Amino acid sequence: NAGVTQTPKFQVLKTGQSMTLQCAQDMNHNSMYWYRQDPGMGLRLIYYSASEGTTDKGEVPNGYNVSRLNKREFSLRLESAAPSQTSVYFCASSALWTGGQYGYTFGSGTRLTVV
Amino acid sequence: SQQGEEDPQALSIQEGENATMNCSYKTSINNLQWYRQNSGRGLVHLILIRSNEREKHSGRLRVTLDTSKKSSSLLITASRAADTASYFCATDPNAGNNRKLIWGLGTSLAVNP
């Protein structure tokens, strides 16, 4: 099925460990985004890639890095995980910047717990 | 910062009733989008209304936009248990090429069978 695929779906890390969240879309979308969702905080933009070859910081980039590997793939890396990074992470993509008529397509999320 | 503010925060209705949720925002916009999120899943785009539109329909969904009041409403008619989800509005601000979607905190809708 066409869409956004995120891996893994669940992860438990110890403080200080590193990991990479993978995201791939097969809709030929130009823009890709990483969000985190926390109770009472809504969706907060971590990093985004407006087009292949570009990446930029969002609202809450500290502690994260990203790579736009190609048009399909956009990964998020936690270099040294902290308990404050416990959250649900969503990758999204869109054909047009800010979504346009069809909006954003979201992955099913990665539930990350840092202990 | 969150521009969109949905109300109510939570809504519980019986199957077959209509559900109305509202979104207010602070700056001028290009468009406003509504999304649904089922528990444990990603968000799904429902409908987009442009700033020059006042009302839009999609199946059982009706969206209105009042730019003078900077508010929008989402009406779900004849609700079903499967409509149980959180609903989010997102605004595309009229702020140049570097603009980003601004998300509300969502309305949690429970439709009881």
Side-chain angles (χ1 to χ4, degrees):
Chain A
N1 290 336
V4 177
T5 302
Q6 286 184 240
T7 55
K9 294 190 183 304
F10 301 93
Q11 185 72 49
V12 178
L13 288 179
K14 293 182 178 179
T15 297
Q17 287 185 320
S18 63
M19 77 163 295
T20 300
L21 281 65
Q22 307 287 352
C23 175
Q25 53 91 7
D26 58 5
M27 295 167 289
N28 202 35
H29 283 173
N30 291 315
S31 302
M32 299 186 74
Y33 318 84
W34 276 105
Y35 285 93
R36 59 178 291 174
Q37 186 178 37
D38 302 286
M41 302 291 287
L43 283 173
R44 292 184 291 170
L45 183 64
I46 305 171
Y47 269 93
Y48 62 97
S49 173
S51 60
E52 185 180 1
T54 69
T55 60
D56 282 289
K57 296 177 180 179
E59 297 174 68
V60 288
N62 291 346
Y64 306 94
N65 280 302
V66 290
S67 295
R68 183 76 183 264
L69 303 171
N70 47 55
K71 192 170 186 179
R72 291 185 63 248
E73 299 172 285
F74 188 40
S75 62
L76 178 71
R77 182 160 179 84
L78 286 71
E79 292 291 352
S80 179
S84 61
Q85 294 178 305
T86 293
S87 186
V88 181
Y89 291 85
F90 288 101
C91 178
S93 69
S94 64
L96 299 175
W97 184 244
T98 68
Q101 179 182 357
Y102 301 104
Y104 287 11
T105 301
F106 281 82
S108 58
T110 296
R111 189 172 295 274
L112 175 67
T113 302
V114 183
V115 297
Chain B
S1 61
Q2 297 289 338
Q3 168 169 251
E5 295 182 8
E6 290 96 334
D7 82 271
Q9 288 186 334
L11 181 61
S12 181
I13 60 173
Q14 296 298 123
E15 213 166 17
E17 294 180 338
N18 295 341
T20 299
M21 53 205 86
N22 304 296
C23 171
S24 61
Y25 57 92
K26 296 176 183 174
T27 64
S28 63
I29 61 172
N30 293 313
N31 63 67
L32 185 145
Q33 304 172 31
W34 284 94
Y35 289 77
R36 181 189 74 236
Q37 183 179 31
N38 292 93
S39 180
R41 308 297 297 271
L43 284 74
V44 174
H45 182 254
L46 294 176
I47 196 167
L48 177 150
I49 187 164
R50 302 187 192 284
S51 60
N52 61 353
E53 297 175 311
R54 291 297 166 257
E55 186 171 313
K56 205 162 181 180
H57 296 254
S58 177
R60 294 184 294 112
L61 304 181
R62 173 179 166 246
V63 171
T64 61
L65 179 65
D66 186 335
T67 53
S68 66
K69 295 181 179 178
K70 292 186 169 59
S71 68
S72 172
S73 67
L74 172 66
L75 168 68
I76 303 174
T77 60
S79 63
R80 307 165 180 169
D83 295 326
T84 294
S86 292
Y87 292 83
F88 294 87
C89 68
T91 51
D92 177 4
N94 187 9
N97 291 331
N98 198 33
R99 67 193 193 279
K100 302 173 187 62
L101 281 191
I102 301 175
W103 296 86
L105 298 180
T107 292
S108 177
L109 172 66
V111 181
N112 304 303

